Amino acid sequence: MKLPQYNPAIDNPPLTEQEMDELDELLSFIEADDAVADMESLDGYLTALLLSPALPEADVWVTRVWGGQDPAQAPFGSGKQTKKVAQLVLRHLASIDRQLRADPEGLEPLFGIAEVEAEDSDEVQEIVDAELWCIGFLQGTAMTPEHWNRIFDDAELADALTPIVLLGSDPETLTPQQQELVGSPEGRDTLSRQVPEAIAELARHPLCTKA
């Protein structure tokens, strides 16, 4: 089965909440360790791909969603279901692409949000956690390593990417100080809230701007 290439000229409607839930459920059946197996990770993965000069071939970047297996061996119930997953993924890619082109500062990534009761009061505060999104984003950077190596070699852009790297990396690769930061809800919340600004900065940079 040949997977369709992304064409930004096609008017792909954004996913409805019901379709997002459906796609999230389909992704949950994936067991491959290197898959992009939830909507938050997928959102980050697709964002990284769109901040590259060009997308890899669909047979490469779409199949990575389920662990890089051939479409005929995708872990879904049928070829029809695999095609549906690919179509939903393409539509979500198109939605992110439109946002990045029109208003990168207004991009609303899919982050986890938890309500936590404050220790010294009955007030409930929202804690933002972008870990899964950042894991997906770093998976996306691995698809075009030459491009992202140039970005990480740029001191200014590398600094902007720091919150994504800290939240999306294996904690064992971090320093004790960094581990302490990402290990607390407050630290994760602070880092997570810095991510949209980092994405907007990347989207404006010539290295990430498409022709």
Side-chain angles (χ1 to χ4, degrees), residues 37-165:
D38 58 78
M39 278 303 299
E40 291 177 44
S41 299
L42 177 67
D43 195 74
Y45 173 75
L46 298 179
T47 302
L49 291 180
L50 289 166
L51 291 172
S52 303
L55 284 173
E57 289 295 310
D59 285 355
V60 175
W61 76 262
V62 177
T63 57
R64 174 53 56 195
V65 172
W66 51 77
Q69 298 177 31
D70 183 272
Q73 299 176 333
F76 305 110
S78 64
K80 182 178 180 180
Q81 204 169 46
T82 300
K83 184 177 180 181
K84 183 169 188 176
V85 170
Q87 290 173 336
L88 292 174
V89 168
L90 279 169
R91 282 175 53 197
H92 194 54
L93 177 84
S95 180
I96 299 170
D97 193 14
R98 284 192 295 270
Q99 292 178 66
L100 286 173
R101 291 173 186 270
D103 180 22
E105 284 80 8
L107 183 70
E108 296 183 357
L110 298 180
F111 294 164
I113 298 178
E115 291 188 346
V116 179
E117 188 173 306
E119 292 183 4
D120 54 352
S121 71
D122 293 331
E123 293 184 4
V124 174
Q125 62 181 119
E126 286 189 343
I127 298 293
V128 181
D129 191 343
E131 178 185 10
L132 293 177
W133 190 96
C134 293
I135 289 172
F137 188 92
L138 294 181
Q139 287 176 295
T141 65
M143 300 300 291
T144 52
E146 291 185 4
H147 166 69
W148 284 99
N149 285 341
R150 292 177 63 196
I151 291 178
F152 282 110
D153 286 340
D154 183 293
E156 186 176 344
L157 291 179
D159 186 61
L161 283 164
T162 295
I164 297 174
V165 173

Side-chain angles (χ1 to χ4, degrees), residues 131-206:
E131 178 185 10
L132 293 177
W133 190 96
C134 293
I135 289 172
F137 188 92
L138 294 181
Q139 287 176 295
T141 65
M143 300 300 291
T144 52
E146 291 185 4
H147 166 69
W148 284 99
N149 285 341
R150 292 177 63 196
I151 291 178
F152 282 110
D153 286 340
D154 183 293
E156 186 176 344
L157 291 179
D159 186 61
L161 283 164
T162 295
I164 297 174
V165 173
L166 291 180
L167 288 167
S169 298
D170 182 343
E172 292 186 2
T173 66
L174 306 179
T175 67
Q177 185 179 9
Q178 291 170 337
Q179 290 177 1
E180 184 177 355
L181 179 62
V182 300
S184 71
E186 294 78 14
R188 297 165 78 82
D189 179 83
T190 298
L191 291 170
S192 297
R193 293 179 189 274
Q194 295 171 2
V195 171
E197 183 178 344
I199 296 305
E201 183 174 344
L202 286 168
R204 293 188 301 263
H205 198 279

